[in-house]
Amino acid sequence: MAKRIAVLTSGGDAPGMNAAIRSVVRCGLSRGWVTYGVYSGFKGLISGTIEQLTTRDVGGVIQRGGTLLGSARCEEFKTVDGRELALRNLNQKGIEALVVIGGNGSQTGSYELNMMGFPVVGIASTIDNDLVGSDITIGVDTALNIALEAIDRLKVTASSHQRAFIIEVMGRKCGYIALMSGIAGGAEAITLPEVKTDPEELAVTLRAAYEHGKSHALIVAAEGAEYNAAKLAEYFYANKERLGFSIRSTILGHVQRGGTPSAYDRILASKFGLGAVEAIEREEYGVLVGIKGNQVLTTPLEEIAGKTKQLDPAVIQLAKTLD
Ligand code: F6P
């Protein structure tokens, strides 16, 4: 039966979101459904900024980073009053199901809306890769490669000057980007929110590396770690005489979110868009579309809301072995 569905992007943008919107719209249209776009995430749901999307509206976007629908962090949606306003707008347009493309906070919003009786399907999309319910989320691959390129570049200048560089990467309370870019970039050390760091131990390691003739040292710091770039730099500056290396620090920040989506992210997003439309077709609501192993599947939002995915301890161990 023909359906009227809407799609929105919420929270921090992630490269590949446009590919996901395009896939939801085109997979919906191919079933004879009517598809709507909600502008500026949950904020647009509350203000009623909802417009019909045709196949042409999502043409030429697959290679673009960001999100054509815009995104926002919306405090009002966390209130029952805010969500009731959103429900009124959805019902006024006769929309029967909503697809929410976003990360952890956004999928908690999806869960709350679904709990109020509106059919919602989430799509796992965040550079943080902190969502339970998907091994990997849309945007991670691109963000990781941007971080890696920065690490490779910093290593070059670090070697020329016998310096130690701290590079801080995003990820909120999850150290996934730091851990993976640290391994891929051959970092000397990685600080993570999930693992306690002893800065003195780190200073001793750097000193030993210097004495063994190493020409540079690179430390990847997760923004959510106790020892993020600012805290580590503070410690190292205070102890700079015995460190051996002079220290410089770079915070990569939103550069990681702005990239052209990689092939992997475009394909993953396209698959997730189809997965969401198929879930709506089955009338399977209150779920998140993600990937486990090589299979696109759904997980109930109640198993996801408010949780943070754990890092694989074996990979943390590997990073320690390799540094
Ligand atoms: O959730 C994605 C993310 O980029 C986090 O890694 C980061 O902590 C946060 O968003 C930054 O949020 P904002 O763009 O609102 O400053």
Side-chain angles (χ1 to χ4, degrees):
M1 212 173 63
K3 285 192 182 291
R4 292 159 86 88
I5 65 165
V7 56
L8 63 79
T9 48
S10 169
D13 63 348
M17 276 182 161
N18 281 326
I21 298 166
R22 173 180 179 269
S23 176
V24 169
V25 169
R26 291 198 173 165
C27 292
L29 290 173
S30 75
R31 285 159 173 76
W33 299 357
V34 182
T35 55
Y36 290 86
V38 181
Y39 290 85
S40 304
F42 291 129
K43 211 165 149 189
L45 218 47
I46 291 172
S47 61
T49 324
I50 304 171
E51 278 164 31
Q52 201 173 327
L53 292 177
T54 66
T55 195
R56 288 304 353 124
D57 292 325
V58 293
V61 302
I62 196 165
Q63 75 281 12
R64 279 175 22 206
T67 159
L68 74 104
L69 292 175
S71 192
R73 302 202 187 274
C74 181
E75 286 305 309
E76 201 182 348
F77 196 74
K78 292 181 183 162
T79 67
V80 176
D81 287 355
R83 291 198 294 278
E84 267 166 3
L85 280 174
L87 279 178
R88 208 176 57 194
N89 288 325
L90 285 164
N91 291 331
Q92 241 168 31
K93 294 257 184 212
I95 292 164
E96 299 161 87
L98 174 69
V99 178
V100 174
I101 304 169
N104 225 328
S106 306
Q107 301 308 343
T108 301
S110 302
Y111 174 64
E112 301 286 357
L113 190 66
N114 193 75
M115 286 299 280
M116 289 171 80
F118 195 85
V120 185
V121 174
I123 287 183
S125 175
T126 163
I127 65 159
D128 299 340
N129 204 25
D130 57 351
L131 265 172
V132 173
S134 197
D135 291 346
I136 199 91
T137 53
I138 297 168
V140 174
D141 184 64
T142 307
L144 200 50
N145 278 297
I146 293 168
L148 189 58
E149 193 188 335
I151 289 170
D152 289 347
R153 286 172 185 236
L154 288 173
K155 259 190 162 171
V156 173
T157 176
S159 290
S160 309
H161 291 267
Q162 295 235 319
R163 277 176 179 158
F165 266 86
I166 305 166
I167 174 165
E168 182 179 292
V169 296
M170 275 187 167
R172 211 179 283 274
K173 286 283 156 209
C174 177
Y176 185 87
I177 298 180
L179 180 61
M180 296 307 177
S181 63
I183 291 176
E188 274 60 42
I190 306 169
T191 69
L192 302 169
E194 293 85 351
V195 179
K196 213 164 166 44
T197 298
D198 176 354
E200 184 51 33
E201 207 176 281
L202 241 176
V204 169
T205 309
L206 291 195
R207 176 78 212 164
Y210 178 70
E211 278 164 2
H212 289 128
K214 207 158 193 167
S215 61
H216 69 267
L218 207 124
I219 304 154
V220 179
E223 67 172 355
E226 182 193 355
Y227 282 94
N228 59 11
K231 285 280 293 292
L232 258 189
E234 194 187 327
Y235 187 90
F236 286 160
Y237 279 127
N239 294 279
K240 63 173 183 274
E241 278 74 35
R242 50 193 190 86
L243 203 60
F245 293 103
S246 65
I247 289 276
R248 294 291 186 273
S249 160
T250 300
I251 296 178
L252 212 50
H254 290 79
V255 167
Q256 290 153 101
R257 286 210 326 231
T260 298
S262 64
Y264 182 87
D265 276 327
R266 297 181 203 189
I267 292 163
L268 187 73
S270 301
K271 286 183 178 174
F272 282 6
L274 171 64
V277 166
E278 285 178 345
I280 294 171
E281 206 164 32
R282 294 192 296 273
E283 307 206 327
E284 186 194 356
Y285 300 121
V287 292
L288 178 85
V289 176
I291 190 163
K292 290 219 172 142
N294 217 3
Q295 208 189 339
V296 175
L297 42 68
T298 55
T299 306
L301 286 169
E302 63 178 338
E303 291 175 21
I304 286 156
K307 300 205 182 113
T308 300
K309 187 165 66 193
Q310 297 303 301
L311 293 177
D312 182 346
V315 182
I316 296 177
Q317 189 49 49
L318 173 66
K320 283 189 184 140
T321 309
L322 296 177
D323 66 17

